[in-house]
Amino acid sequence: LAQSADIKVCVDSMEGVRQLQKFRSEDVKSLKVLIEINTGMNRCGVDNHQQVAELMELISAADNLSFHGFMSHSGNIYGAENIRELHDIAIDEARHMHAVAKYWRNRGVTVNTVSVGSTPASKYLNEISGIDEFRPGNYVFNDFIQVCLGVAEIEDCALSIISTVISKPSAGRVIIDAGSKSLGLDKGAHSKQITNSFGFVKEHPGAIIERLSEEHGILRVKDSNEFMIGEKLIIIPNHACAVTNLFDEALIIKDTQVVDEWKITARGKVK
Ligand SMILES: Cc1ncc(COP(=O)(O)O)c(C=O)c1O
């Protein structure tokens, strides 16, 4: 991998650096290390300059490691209550990281990379400065969570699940053949909840995918007469990242034609 990619790793603990000290490779003489900073997500990342100083000292003492810069992830943005809050979290992350880099540069440290970001924060890229790298991931597809947050429109969502109506047991209930194995269980990112539906049904925007079994989706609808058994429904999933990882292949559609089929090669790699 090192022959085709510029690999960087991130740490936020002394134990993490000690583990990296054991790393030896013919291809990578000096492994580039980023220190992760907590900018409010409260997942990984260090909280103060003292912790950074201790990590830097250990990294520079290792002959196989080189300090490369700082990274953060503004995943807390998925809990934003409104556009104002979304904007402020994006700007705060960048400001925070810019200030950390400045603090260390003022002390003579070479900071090569300041890496931040998330898909919702990328909406405010034009207001952000002092940053070298931005890492939106979901951005390639967008999904219903991004729509609910207000950073994308349904037309911006590139990934969909095609399901089939298999039953209409009552006037207000329609059953499809897509359940948790296809749509996933997320109703928001990072365990947040932003929608009450397990996806957005494109042709029937009022339908709520209320419950999921593994292979069944239970839709609450106004009038099941508007649905036909056998009808195909296009569903924008709530969380495109998790849904992509549920399938072996994706059909590539241009206009209405299937033009290719791609293997999802990164799937099933968690060991
Ligand atoms: C460390 C890190 N960087 C970047 C991203 C991409 O963020 P998003 O999913 O908002 O595109 C993620 C997603 O979980 C992440 O964990």
Side-chain angles (χ1 to χ4, degrees), residues 24 36 47 64 66 78 91 113 121 141 143 164 179 188 194 215 232 234 249 258 270-271:
R24 292 283 176 265
E36 181 161 359
D47 291 309
N64 65 330
S66 62
Y78 285 94
I91 303 301
T113 296
F141 290 127
D143 56 23
T164 306
I194 196 166
E215 288 96 9
K232 302 282 182 207
I234 297 175
E249 286 115 26
V258 175
V270 180
K271 284 187 183 161

Side-chain angles (χ1 to χ4, degrees), residues 36 41 43 71-75 77-78 116-121 135-139 146 189-190 239 241:
E36 181 161 359
M41 188 187 181
R43 188 174 67 179
M71 66 80 71
S72 63
H73 171 52
S74 50
I77 204 164
Y78 285 94
V116 304
S118 61
T119 294
R135 305 186 320 277
N138 184 278
Y139 184 85
Q146 306 295 343
H190 304 295
H239 194 174
C241 314

Side-chain angles (χ1 to χ4, degrees), residues 7 23 25 27-33 62-67:
I7 296 175
F23 173 83
S25 158
D27 298 319
V28 186
K29 296 284 170 254
S30 183
L31 189 59
K32 294 175 185 167
V33 182
D63 59 2
N64 65 330
L65 305 177
S66 62
F67 170 73

Side-chain angles (χ1 to χ4, degrees), residues 94-165:
R95 280 208 189 120
H96 185 139
M97 293 298 281
H98 184 46
V100 170
K102 195 169 163 202
Y103 177 92
W104 288 104
R105 283 179 179 136
N106 286 344
R107 280 154 185 77
V109 175
T110 304
V111 179
N112 293 299
T113 296
V114 181
S115 177
V116 304
S118 61
T119 294
S122 65
K123 189 175 161 71
Y124 304 102
L125 255 179
N126 58 346
E127 291 182 47
I128 286 170
S129 58
I131 297 302
D132 305 297
E133 184 178 88
F134 210 87
R135 305 186 320 277
N138 184 278
Y139 184 85
V140 293
F141 290 127
N142 282 310
D143 56 23
F144 193 49
I145 291 173
Q146 306 295 343
V147 174
C148 293
L149 277 169
V151 299
E153 303 291 333
I154 286 296
E155 298 69 44
D156 302 325
C157 296
L159 184 78
S160 42
I161 304 287
I162 301 177
S163 71
T164 306
V165 173

Side-chain angles (χ1 to χ4, degrees), residues 23 43 56 82 90 148 187 208 211-212 233:
F23 173 83
R43 188 174 67 179
M56 271 185 189
N82 51 50
C148 293
K187 285 182 163 177
I208 306 287
R211 289 180 285 134
L212 296 181
L233 299 183

